[in-house]
Each structure stands twice: as structure tokens, then as C-alpha cells.
Amino acid sequence: MQQEVITFAVALVVLVLVVLALRYYAAKSRAKGPTSARARLGVEPEVEVARPRRQRKRPRPGQPAAAPEEVEEAREEVEEAPEVAADQEAVGAFKAGLAKTRGGFVAKLGKLFGKKKIDAATLDELEEVLFTADIGPRAADRIFQSVKTGMSKADLEDADKIWKRIRRTSQDILAVDAKAVDMSSKQPFVLLVLGVNGVGKTTTIGKLAKKWSDEGKKVLLAAGDTFRAAATEQLEEWGKRSNVPVVKGKPQGDPSAVIFEAIKRGVDEKFDIVICDTAGRLHSNSGLMDELKKVRRVSDKAMAGAPHETWMVLDATTGQNAISQAKTFKADMEITGIVLTKLDGSSKGGVVLGICDELKVPVRYVGVGEKIGDLRPFDPAAFVDALYSDARSSEAA
């Protein structure tokens, strides 16, 4: 009997110790874990900002009543600045060209924010959607962090406010600080156009020539891609359509000589714009870069300061490969602008965000169709409006 009592007492003591140990580790785990919904969502605490004192509706005795415009002015100071208004005609054109892109990652975002409850899992899914979209990892992270760390718990439960934040951040990414191109600042204004074969470089040059010629500019083309079969013939065909002369050389000849001759002619005959086509491919990448550097040096000899702009043409259908191409060229060449083609044929139109964020080079034109007028000047506000338009309809899907 005594042995049984001792055994029971020992078991009781062990049980008490186990319970105490479990309570200790549970308390320790709670101390380490998130204690609020904000912490569970991974959102940084908001910084307390001193709010402006409210305007008294009634003046103190002896004080004149505040003028209505003064009260309105005080209210405007604390309101968030409105988004940049977009040109609706441009929005319509971009919307048609971005139809496939909206059916891709934008539609996924729409379904994601169509959930009845937005929680930590929703943020994880948002991160996955952004990083698997062809917008580049830097742009994806910038948009994700603007939502995750830049919004309060209450805002994170409001799909409209999340969409507004995504749109605003996207517009900030696209608004690369660059001056507008003033082609009347030089005569002739020399534009050097780069791009690998197949991106639509020569077609882009032809469309630009037609556009500027129709605007009354005197345009000259330089067929500097002497290595690609039929490149000169293709440029000559565009010259005929636009009633624009073309300076050409011999097949497999020296591209720099062609461009030098074109620029000198542009100076002598007072052309307004000289557009120079360049080689898109040689036997090696280093050979291509060396050739393009030579073209720049020769351009400066033909006219001091030329070329005045150097634009690179990229194919939107290649997605993040377009960013890699631009990085390769930018490492050896000064690039002042991007032209993005075939936007209408791709679900990867969001690559514009990655290009602007990683290269810090402005997009000058985008191609949203086959017609000459479908090569449009890039408008960041209109592009963002078109990219995320009808996104809420995806939420109901």
C-alpha cells in the first residue's frame, strides 16, 4: 500500500511539472509571435503624425469668421494629391493593345481581390502573382512592398484602396525623370535607333519617318543595317510610302560610312531629322557593340554632338528577355529612350514597368497594332489606366 502511494505521488509531481513546462513554452511562443493583425500581415506600424488642428466652425468672441476659401485651403493641405489625369483617347488606344496583358496577371489580381476576406494569405498570393508576371523582380517587389508596408490594417481590407495603391505605384515607376525630346533644337536632329534583329526596328523607323513627314518635317533615313539581308530594301520601301529619301551603301559594307554620309547630307541640305538604322546582329556580341560605338564616334565627326538621341527598340512578346537585351546594350551604349513594339500581340505588356524601374530610361513610343498610327507616344498615366481598366470585372468572375 505504501509503495502505491509513493508511485502515485511521483506520477502527480511529474504531471505537475509537465503542465508547468507546457505553460512556460506556450507563453514564450506567444511573446515571440505577432500580437496584432497588423503584425500577422507583416505590415510595419504606422508612424504617428501630428494632425493639423481642426478649423473652429464658430469664431471665438471678438474674432472675425474665417473666410470659406481659407477653410477649404486648410482641408486641401491634408488631402492626398490627385492622380495625374490621363488622356482618354490614349487610354482607349492602349486599352485595345493591352487586352492580352489584362487577361494575364491583371485578371489574376482581380480574382485575388474579389475574395470576401483579404488576409495574410491574400498578401502571399499577391506576392506570387506579381513575381510570376513579366514585370521584372524589382518592379514586382516595389509594388508588393507599397501594399504590404505602406497600408494600414483597415486599408488592407479594402480592395478599392489596394487597387488605388497599385495604380499609384505603377504610375510612379513609369514616370522616369526625363526631359521631353525637342527635335527642333538641332538641325538636323540625329536619332540613332538600336535593336536586335526581329524586334521591329526597321518598321519602327519607317513609322516614325511617316509620322514626322506627315507633320511637315523634312526627314532623311540612313540604311545603316548593311549586314542583314533585305534590310536596306525594307527601309527603301518605307521611304517610298513616306516620300522620304534613303541613304544606302553596299551590302556588307561599312555602316558607319553610310551614317556619316547621311548626317553630312542632312546638314548640307537642311533636313530636320535624320533617322539612322543600325546593325542588329553580327558574329559576336562584342563585335556588334564595337560597331555601334564606332557609329557613335563617326556621327559626332559628321556633326558635333550627334547623335542627339539614341533609342532602343524592344519586343514586348519577349517579356523579361527584353530587359536583359536592354541591359546588355546599356552597358556599352548610352540609351536615352525605349520603343516597345508588338504590345498588342503579347500578354507581357507589364514588362514596361520592369524596363522603366530597372533601366531608368523613359519609354518614348509603344506599338499597339500594325497600322502606322498604332505607334503611339507613351503616356504613363494613360498606360496605367488602360492596364488596370476593368480589373474589378475580374473580381466577379
Side-chain angles (χ1 to χ4, degrees), residues 16-53:
V16 170
L17 290 175
V18 169
V19 170
L20 290 174
L22 289 174
R23 285 187 177 182
Y24 170 77
Y25 285 111
K28 190 174 181 181
S29 177
R30 284 196 299 271
K32 288 184 177 180
T35 58
S36 66
R38 183 189 301 278
R40 287 195 299 274
L41 289 173
V43 180
E44 294 178 357
E46 291 184 329
V47 179
E48 290 293 328
V49 179
R51 297 182 179 180
R53 294 180 63 183

Side-chain angles (χ1 to χ4, degrees), residues 321-332:
N321 284 338
I323 301 176
S324 299
Q325 286 177 18
K327 283 182 174 179
T328 300
F329 275 75
K330 194 170 185 284
D332 292 299

Side-chain angles (χ1 to χ4, degrees), residues 179-219:
K179 295 180 180 179
V181 178
D182 181 10
M183 293 197 165
S184 63
S185 61
K186 305 290 181 182
Q187 189 177 21
F189 188 95
V190 180
L191 172 63
L192 191 65
V193 184
L194 315 176
V196 301
N197 290 346
V199 298
K201 174 168 54 71
T202 304
T203 300
T204 295
I205 291 172
K207 289 181 177 181
L208 289 173
K210 175 63 175 172
K211 168 184 169 59
W212 291 330
S213 178
D214 288 349
E215 291 174 358
K217 301 286 194 301
K218 189 178 179 182
V219 181

Side-chain angles (χ1 to χ4, degrees), residues 82-340:
E83 290 185 22
V84 178
D87 177 79
Q88 291 307 306
E89 193 271 335
V91 171
F94 288 147
K95 188 174 179 180
L98 288 167
K100 292 185 178 181
T101 299
R102 288 200 309 279
F105 89 96
V106 178
K108 291 179 182 178
L109 290 178
K111 291 178 181 178
L112 180 61
F113 297 132
K115 293 181 177 180
K116 292 182 179 179
K117 183 180 180 181
I118 299 175
D119 52 20
T122 308
L123 281 183
D124 291 339
E125 292 180 61
L126 170 62
E127 184 176 25
E128 182 180 350
V129 170
L130 290 173
F131 275 85
T132 55
D134 274 281
I135 63 175
R138 283 170 52 101
D141 187 60
R142 186 168 167 183
I143 294 173
F144 176 67
Q145 292 300 332
S146 75
V147 174
K148 179 184 176 184
T149 66
M151 300 182 71
S152 67
K153 174 193 171 185
D155 287 346
L156 282 169
E157 295 173 353
D158 188 328
D160 286 332
K161 289 184 178 180
I162 295 176
W163 274 118
K164 186 176 181 181
R165 176 56 63 98
I166 290 174
R167 289 162 61 92
R168 174 59 64 87
T169 305
S170 298
Q171 194 163 310
D172 289 344
I173 290 172
L174 296 176
V176 177
D177 186 19
K179 295 180 180 179
V181 178
D182 181 10
M183 293 197 165
S184 63
S185 61
K186 305 290 181 182
Q187 189 177 21
F189 188 95
V190 180
L191 172 63
L192 191 65
V193 184
L194 315 176
V196 301
N197 290 346
V199 298
K201 174 168 54 71
T202 304
T203 300
T204 295
I205 291 172
K207 289 181 177 181
L208 289 173
K210 175 63 175 172
K211 168 184 169 59
W212 291 330
S213 178
D214 288 349
E215 291 174 358
K217 301 286 194 301
K218 189 178 179 182
V219 181
L220 179 65
L221 299 180
D225 189 356
T226 60
F227 299 104
R228 182 168 66 89
T232 299
E233 289 80 357
Q234 186 182 0
L235 201 62
E236 284 184 305
E237 182 58 36
W238 275 107
K240 291 176 183 177
R241 293 189 201 179
S242 310
N243 196 27
V244 167
V246 179
V247 176
K248 61 180 182 178
K250 296 178 181 180
Q252 304 297 314
D254 184 1
S256 298
V258 176
I259 290 174
F260 180 88
E261 181 185 344
I263 296 174
K264 292 299 288 183
R265 180 177 170 183
V267 172
D268 296 339
E269 299 181 22
K270 299 188 183 304
F271 278 86
D272 295 312
I273 303 172
V274 177
I275 311 177
C276 305
D277 195 4
T278 59
R281 188 172 188 175
L282 291 182
H283 297 297
S284 68
N285 188 56
S286 60
L288 174 59
M289 294 305 160
D290 290 342
E291 185 61 51
L292 293 176
K293 290 176 184 177
K294 180 182 176 183
V295 166
R296 288 188 65 87
R297 293 194 301 270
V298 169
S299 298
D300 185 61
K301 290 180 180 178
M303 179 184 180
H308 305 108
E309 283 279 317
T310 301
W311 293 356
M312 183 168 185
V313 181
L314 298 172
D315 181 351
T317 63
T318 61
Q320 292 189 56
N321 284 338
I323 301 176
S324 299
Q325 286 177 18
K327 283 182 174 179
T328 300
F329 275 75
K330 194 170 185 284
D332 292 299
M333 297 286 293
E334 179 186 4
I335 298 175
T336 58
I338 297 291
V339 179
L340 193 65

